[in-house]
Amino acid sequence: MNPAKSNFQAVISLPFGPVGIAVSEGRLQAIEYLSSPQKRYRSKAPGLDLVIDAIEAYLDDPGRRFKLDLILHGTAFQQRVWRALQAIPPGKPLTYGQLAEKIGSGARAVGNACRANPCPLVVPCHRVVGANGLGGFAGERGGEKLVIKRWLLRHEGWL
């Protein structure tokens, strides 16, 4: 998604930075971590308040699980990885290899599916780490995105 276009029904500020949120037919379609600064806004799109309320509840209680209706466009394999991500408990990350073993795949394929995740935070790809460190996040191996991953893992009590 290109934040320069109006693909988001909201841009909100979270403790680690701004995020864009897209809903469709009352269901969450995408969350995108944005670079600062961003102008905040919030439309009256159906389902948007539920998404923002759920994110705020998670920020108040990192053990809280998301129970939102999602629209996740991806391959059958990506869908399988994203379902597996949603089963990882807060504060209990798995390595890419451990998750790959659980679903009968390879670590690199799991990483690629994580990178394609349209709803990070809600589909918690931050809970997948490298065997010898944090690994990457949102297609990056450093920079702003890894700062977000570190914040989320700390928030959940892992780091």
Side-chain angles (χ1 to χ4, degrees):
M1 247 180 231
N2 180 353
K5 295 184 180 179
S6 296
N7 291 331
F8 303 121
Q9 282 72 43
V11 171
I12 62 172
S13 293
L14 298 181
F16 50 79
V19 297
I21 301 171
V23 292
S24 178
E25 301 170 7
R27 299 182 294 166
L28 177 62
Q29 185 169 11
I31 292 178
E32 188 171 325
Y33 299 117
L34 305 172
S35 298
S36 294
Q38 292 287 327
K39 182 179 180 187
R40 289 174 291 192
Y41 62 90
R42 185 171 175 167
S43 74
K44 302 238 185 258
L48 182 61
D49 288 342
L50 288 174
V51 171
I52 293 173
D53 290 348
I55 291 170
E56 289 172 349
Y58 165 78
L59 293 172
D60 288 340
D61 175 8
R64 186 171 190 129
R65 299 248 187 170
F66 288 96
K67 293 178 180 143
L68 295 168
D69 290 328
L70 306 174
I71 298 173
L72 299 174
H73 297 289
T75 66
F77 176 75
Q78 288 170 334
Q79 298 279 341
R80 191 164 48 132
V81 171
W82 299 337
R83 279 191 303 277
L85 291 172
Q86 292 175 75
I88 301 171
K92 308 270 188 218
L94 298 175
T95 66
Y96 292 95
Q98 288 170 323
L99 184 58
E101 189 175 312
K102 277 184 176 255
I103 64 168
S105 182
R108 185 167 292 197
V110 166
N112 287 335
C114 287
R115 181 176 27 256
N117 177 6
C119 296
L121 185 61
V122 171
V123 178
C125 51
H126 64 274
R127 295 184 190 146
V128 181
V129 297
N132 298 308
L134 288 181
F137 190 54
E140 295 182 11
R141 300 214 31 98
E144 285 182 3
K145 299 291 187 340
L146 212 53
V147 169
I148 294 169
K149 182 173 187 171
R150 190 173 284 111
W151 189 96
L152 292 167
L153 290 170
R154 260 192 210 114
H155 178 62
E156 294 180 358
W158 187 68
L159 283 178

